Amino acid sequence: MSTKRRNFRVTFAVTALLLLAVSVLLTDVLGGFGGARVDLTSERLYTMAPAAKDILKGLKAPVQVKLYITGAASMPTELKTLERDVTDKLRDYAQASDGMIQYSIHDPQDDEDLQGKLAERGIQPFQVQSIEKDEIGVKLIWSAMTVAYKDRPEEVLPQVLPQSLATFEYDLISRVYRLTRDRDPKVALVAPLQEIDPQVAMQYLQRGMQPPEPTDVYTSIAQYLQQEHYQVERVSLTADSRIPADADALLVLNPSGFDERQAFEINRAISNGVNALIAVQLHTYGYQPGMRGGFTISGASQTSGLESVLGAFGVTVDTRHLLDASHETLAVPRTQNIGGMRFQTSEPVRLPVQVKVTETQMNQDSPLSNRIASLLYLWGSALDLDAATMSANGLTSTVLFTGSERAWRAPFTEGLLPGSLFAPEGKQIEPRLPLAVLLEGSFPDAFAGRPTPAWPAMATDGAVAPPAADAATPLRAGKARVAVVGCAKMFDDMGLQAGQNALLLLNAVDALTHGEDMISIRSKALTQRVIRPVDDGEKLFYRLFAAVLVPVALAAFGLLRAAKRRKEAAR
């Protein structure tokens, strides 16, 4: 063995021992200190949001936070630091609230009395997987939290785990916020039931059968909002079911053929200062399996009945097809007959009417959209904004998101659609078409100078009842915020499952009811990243890089290294 190699090995061993000793010393001496943390994430995910600090500073009475967690000694290896991580956050919140957040830690693992009391409050231990000494097992642990304020019902976080730390700030602060407000905000939901297609209904009648009842495709919205402690009141927008006077926000989803009185009621509520989200769906598309594979596409249109109201606000939902090079693949079901047996399968379909809105198309300056990475804007329409009308009415507008750089529009036609419609060749490309806009200000009365429209006469048991007695809400001019979206499908039960459509809905409702503070806390915890689309050339480069360049570079390094060692051995 050469002297040079021996010296290298001795130096390496001594250095390793010294580093090990320093590590042990630092761990032992500094491990007990709280220390300072540095948040290096671009979104400042681990830095307390200013809105959270404001909420905590505004507390007028102590909030009791109790963490029930199994001791670190009995925790699986990957959860041993959980108590410390949660405690660090609670300490930050206590400091930010000037002591109004008062927290305590309890270990119910071996305390049967405490376990019984927790069970009465709905808190139970749960199983987690553990890996110890190369063996996979299951452990039963406690890790839950309660939040109490005055005599309000206690809020419970049933499971606190490492993966929930990213949302911990929102989970805790939102509960504190809810406990300290006077009442849960009320949301009036106007979402008509989905009527069956007239042609299908006629087929039922021709067979002597009654067509199916209209279906409700907006059931998930109430569930989402109730989970966030909103009161949701479904409104039919009739003389007997009007927008409640104490509504904090109004959601109007897929208005279809609204009569003048319904449009008047919505306009009056907004003019009186009720914040609103209006999502309009003008087009739907049918996918019929073709005889030789693929699908034939047909289109159908409807009117909302709110055209004059939105026009008075300076917004028009475009009636043309909206097509975009940025679009999503849908799995469309089809029935196949193989050997006399029928099978239900799904086939991927990519059409430019299935618009995909990506992070680069979001308004990064708006809290409603700046943390959203992807939306499915299914069969939606573009918005035309009339700046002169808005300016005349003193309204300000903020575009929340747009189409991509390669979008185009085409005149709408009912029935079967030609395949050429879906190709961009020969079309006028219109980049960045507005798809959603937020309006703010005092909204005009589109029915000013006209008598209040009457409620339509109702037919009951074959007799037409006279119009209901009119009792229009008086006009009280007030400032409001109205979000207009040219797509309602993105908020139905299926649409809320796609992309981050649900997050957009919750952001909008939060902004309309609480302002933008709660959004800044929620959205920073839910940021998702998507890989930008790459073209075929980039794909080929990365494949060659991974499959050829890296192995070749490693082989070359090995050859050079071997040659050098042979040269050293020959000396």
Side-chain angles (χ1 to χ4, degrees):
M1 180 181 297
S2 65
T3 303
K4 184 177 179 181
R5 184 175 298 178
R6 186 182 307 110
N7 291 339
F8 172 78
R9 291 184 174 181
V10 171
T11 303
F12 182 84
V14 171
T15 303
L17 289 174
L18 287 175
L19 289 175
L20 180 62
V22 170
S23 300
V24 171
L25 180 64
L26 290 176
T27 302
D28 185 58
V29 173
L30 302 179
F33 290 93
R37 295 192 299 272
V38 179
D39 186 355
L40 299 178
T41 59
S42 60
E43 300 89 352
R44 314 298 295 171
L45 292 177
Y46 301 100
T47 301
M48 196 183 306
K53 293 180 180 177
D54 291 341
I55 292 172
L56 294 176
K57 286 181 179 176
L59 292 175
K60 304 300 182 186
V63 176
Q64 306 293 332
V65 179
K66 294 182 180 179
L67 174 65
Y68 299 96
I69 188 168
T70 299
S74 302
M75 278 287 200
T77 304
E78 61 273 21
L79 299 181
K80 286 188 181 297
T81 62
L82 179 60
E83 179 181 333
R84 186 196 63 192
D85 295 339
V86 175
T87 305
D88 286 347
K89 287 181 173 290
L90 292 176
R91 185 184 300 116
D92 292 343
Y93 301 149
Q95 292 174 352
S97 65
D98 294 329
M100 287 298 177
I101 293 289
Q102 300 176 352
Y103 67 93
S104 56
I105 316 297
H106 307 268
D107 182 1
Q109 193 72 24
D110 300 318
D111 189 338
E112 293 186 358
D113 290 341
L114 180 57
Q115 291 179 7
K117 294 177 181 177
L118 293 178
E120 294 174 356
R121 294 149 68 184
I123 299 175
Q124 299 286 348
F126 53 93
Q127 293 182 337
V128 295
Q129 190 179 70
S130 65
I131 303 176
E132 295 183 3
K133 297 180 181 179
D134 297 332
E135 292 185 358
I136 298 177
V138 174
K139 280 194 171 184
L140 192 65
I141 68 163
W142 294 82
S143 183
M145 182 176 289
T146 61
V147 185
Y149 179 76
K150 293 184 175 178
D151 58 348
R152 301 290 300 273
E154 189 178 64
E155 293 269 354
V156 176
L157 279 74
Q159 291 188 3
V160 179
L161 291 168
Q163 54 267 33
S164 61
L165 291 179
T167 61
F168 187 77
E169 182 176 316
Y170 175 76
D171 291 339
L172 179 63
I173 302 300
S174 63
R175 282 167 169 79
V176 171
Y177 181 73
R178 286 196 295 263
L179 285 171
T180 54
R181 66 191 176 194
D182 296 333
R183 68 176 182 88
D184 290 339
K186 178 181 284 188
V187 176
L189 175 60
V190 180
L193 301 181
Q194 182 171 291
E195 301 284 347
I196 189 171
D197 185 271
Q199 293 183 351
V200 176
M202 182 60 68
Q203 293 174 0
Y204 273 92
L205 294 174
Q206 290 173 348
R207 296 172 187 170
M209 303 167 59
Q210 285 296 321
E213 294 292 326
T215 56
D216 185 0
V217 297
Y218 293 99
T219 58
S220 297
I221 283 188
Q223 297 172 8
Y224 274 99
L225 296 181
Q226 286 164 357
Q227 287 174 2
E228 298 295 323
H229 293 250
Y230 285 101
Q231 300 179 62
V232 181
E233 182 171 335
R234 196 71 178 259
V235 175
S236 302
L237 213 54
T238 63
D240 300 325
S241 177
R242 305 190 188 194
I243 299 169
D246 59 345
D248 297 286
L250 170 65
L251 302 188
V252 183
L253 306 179
N254 193 20
S256 174
F258 275 10
D259 57 51
E260 279 213 324
R261 182 54 189 254
Q262 291 173 313
F264 170 85
E265 291 289 325
I266 292 172
N267 191 169
R268 179 56 56 91
I270 294 172
S271 296
N272 282 349
V274 176
N275 299 324
L277 165 66
I278 301 176
V280 176
Q281 188 75 40
L282 296 186
H283 305 147
T284 56
Y285 296 87
Y287 298 66
Q288 298 297 325
M291 297 295 292
R292 299 179 178 177
F295 291 86
T296 56
I297 310 301
S298 59
S301 64
Q302 66 177 12
T303 57
S304 67
L306 297 182
E307 287 79 8
S308 62
V309 174
L310 293 177
F313 297 167
V315 179
T316 301
V317 182
D318 189 53
T319 57
R320 290 171 285 180
H321 293 287
L322 171 66
L323 306 105
D324 200 313
S326 174
H327 50 268
E328 190 62 272
T329 300
L330 297 183
V332 180
R334 69 180 301 158
T335 302
Q336 290 186 320
N337 193 331
I338 302 177
M341 300 183 66
R342 297 167 67 87
F343 295 91
Q344 189 76 26
T345 62
S346 295
E347 187 169 319
V349 176
R350 286 178 60 86
L351 289 175
V353 292
Q354 303 158 188
V355 177
K356 179 179 181 179
V357 182
T358 62
E359 188 175 7
T360 58
Q361 298 160 233
M362 305 291 177
N363 184 342
Q364 298 300 320
D365 295 326
S366 171
L368 273 76
S369 53
N370 64 356
R371 302 297 179 105
I372 295 177
S374 175
L375 296 171
L376 174 61
Y377 196 80
L378 185 61
W379 307 339
S381 303
L383 303 180
D384 291 326
L385 307 181
D386 185 347
T389 300
M390 293 181 192
S391 177
N393 290 314
L395 299 176
T396 60
S397 66
T398 303
V399 175
L400 299 177
F401 54 86
T402 70
S404 76
E405 298 289 345
R406 290 182 54 79
W408 67 98
R409 293 185 280 189
F412 189 84
T413 53
E414 299 275 351
L416 290 179
L417 302 176
S420 59
L421 174 72
F422 304 112
E425 287 75 16
K427 310 294 193 315
Q428 180 183 353
I429 301 300
E430 299 180 85
R432 298 282 180 178
L433 288 169
L435 304 183
V437 64
L438 179 66
L439 307 174
E440 299 179 76
S442 297
F443 287 81
D445 180 7
F447 296 84
R450 292 191 286 163
T452 302
W455 290 104
M458 301 295 291
T460 305
D461 298 331
V464 178
D470 193 11
T473 305
L475 180 62
R476 303 183 301 273
K479 291 188 175 181
R481 312 174 83 194
V482 177
V484 181
V485 186
C487 177
K489 288 289 294 180
M490 65 189 306
F491 298 126
D492 68 14
D493 292 344
M494 185 195 75
L496 285 177
Q497 306 301 318
Q500 292 181 289
N501 293 7
L503 178 57
L504 175 66
L505 172 76
L506 295 176
N507 280 355
V509 175
D510 278 352
L512 296 176
T513 53
H514 304 305
E516 297 173 349
D517 288 349
M518 292 302 292
I519 304 174
S520 62
I521 304 174
R522 179 213 306 280
S523 57
K524 79 172 191 175
L526 296 176
T527 300
Q528 294 182 4
R529 298 296 185 197
V530 296
I531 300 174
R532 65 175 179 81
V534 295
D535 57 33
D536 292 340
E538 285 182 286
K539 291 178 183 177
L540 179 61
F541 170 78
Y542 287 121
R543 285 174 181 167
L544 290 174
F545 181 80
V548 179
L549 294 183
V550 173
V552 167
L554 290 175
F557 175 77
L559 291 173
L560 290 174
R561 179 69 178 164
K564 184 178 180 181
R565 296 185 66 177
R566 280 199 298 271
K567 186 181 292 184
E568 290 177 352
R571 288 176 182 174

